[in-house]
Amino acid sequence: MRILAVIGTRPEAIKMIPVIRALKAAPDMELQVCSTGQHREMLRPILAMADVKVDIDLDVMEPNQSLNRLAGKLFHALPDVFAGCRPDRVLVQGDTSSAAVAAQAAFYARIPVGHVEAGLRSHDMNHPFPEEGNRKLVGALADQHYAPTATAARNLLAENVIPAQVFITGNTVIDALFYFKSRMEQDATLQQQYRKEFSFLNDKQRLLLVTAHRRENFDGGIANICQALQKLAQRGDMQIVLPVHMNPNVKHVVTEQLGDKPNIHLIPPQDYLPFLYLMDKSHMVLTDSGGVQEEAPSLGKPVLVMRETTERPEGVEAGTARLIGSSSAETIVQEVSRLFDNEAAHAAMARAQNPYGDGHASERILEILRTGSLAPGKEFSTPLPLKQVAHHA
């Protein structure tokens, strides 16, 4: 079977790496990897660490490029890729513009589409934007849906996706986390490198790791987050590390408001492994990211989510994450302070069972590609009966 895996951003690559590695090791699969170039420079280190080779690089990005221009370039380039590879199936991951356009272009070429991390829904087309629209579009076009949880599967069934096309696999991000954490723990040189790279960390202060980059937070949310961090940095027991996203809508505000503030370390965007190192060292994580909500619980780290809605309600239900929004700096300060001051509250979140995966999602996806089904009892079982969606009150 000839498979073409299309990736664009670093989160896509991280979550697709376990699937790519499983397909590369399978003698009955012929795989090619196409990078759209949406996060070209950020992809290289993580792909190299996993020994994943990009076969086709479209290199479509340019500074401040609009979503329409990006989509137009991909629609123009992908038909030639399909003609050269002649894939039996195209695999896309998640909810990026690369995934949405690749799925639509494959549909136009009458090539079946498999969707890794299918069925996530916030049920609000503006939060997150454009991700909610992108994943709904892929959901309408794919004929194999690899849902990470039972909630994601129910979302697809509610949209009248054929039940036989929906499979609960667990999330491949947990496969990736286990793989890369093992690689890091076995490499003494790498550990020494990160200890040196982050030598500014103070062992006497607990670490608050922050990420903020969502488009819906550009209009006021990033400023509120910065205001909250200025207040939190005044605590003597806390140090804050914030990898600053390259998007100018984030970078300008963050550097202007938080540059040279005591106890706040603004660092460049991190590759996956050093970020995993920081996450493992942290006391908790404050984020508007999607993937971090899934990864941090596997490391026993509570997650506060600075968004109004989440398409990952499982963590909220399981108690590994809490939705706090980004509209109030005061709320952010209160919620972070609660987890720093209340050991029982922190422990309750840190010990909750991760509902997102068991490290075997890529094996299940390989079986589905081979047979079109999963043997009875092989689907990933989430630990709790879950609600459809979580909203910040």
Side-chain angles (χ1 to χ4, degrees), residues 361-378:
S362 55
E363 298 167 25
R364 296 185 180 99
I365 291 171
L366 177 58
E367 181 176 335
I368 296 162
L369 289 170
R370 279 177 170 151
T371 68
S373 64
L374 268 179
K378 281 200 172 182

Side-chain angles (χ1 to χ4, degrees), residues 156-299:
L156 292 163
L157 298 177
E159 295 172 2
N160 297 316
V161 174
I162 298 170
Q165 297 178 347
V166 179
F167 309 92
I168 304 174
T169 62
N171 201 312
T172 59
V173 75
I174 307 303
D175 301 31
L177 185 143
F178 289 163
Y179 169 74
F180 283 111
K181 189 169 188 291
S182 176
R183 286 286 300 267
M184 189 165 59
E185 289 172 347
Q186 295 170 18
D187 191 332
T189 302
L190 198 59
Q191 293 179 49
Q192 184 178 9
Q193 174 188 327
Y194 294 149
R195 283 194 294 270
K196 183 178 180 180
E197 184 176 345
F198 302 115
S199 59
F200 57 80
L201 293 177
N202 185 346
D203 292 338
K204 296 180 180 179
Q205 292 178 314
R206 290 173 292 179
L207 172 60
L208 173 65
L209 181 60
V210 184
T211 71
H213 71 278
R214 283 283 180 182
R215 188 179 296 266
E216 63 263 35
N217 278 334
F218 289 175
D219 187 17
I222 298 295
N224 292 335
I225 293 166
C226 291
Q227 184 181 342
L229 295 180
Q230 289 183 51
K231 180 78 172 177
L232 288 165
Q234 296 173 19
R235 294 177 57 117
D237 63 341
M238 180 186 297
Q239 57 189 322
I240 299 169
V241 172
L242 196 169
V244 182
H245 198 275
M246 293 184 293
N247 189 299
N249 293 289
V250 176
K251 187 174 182 178
H252 292 165
V253 176
V254 169
T255 53
E256 181 178 335
Q257 293 198 27
L258 301 181
D260 300 322
K261 291 289 190 296
N263 291 334
I264 298 180
H265 304 282
L266 303 182
I267 62 176
Q270 297 297 297
D271 293 333
Y272 182 69
L273 256 64
F275 185 79
L276 179 58
Y277 176 89
L278 288 171
M279 191 158 51
D280 198 34
K281 293 290 184 185
S282 72
H283 186 63
M284 57 159 290
V285 181
L286 180 66
T287 187
D288 62 4
S289 169
V292 173
Q293 296 176 52
E294 300 156 345
E295 294 162 331
S298 286
L299 301 173

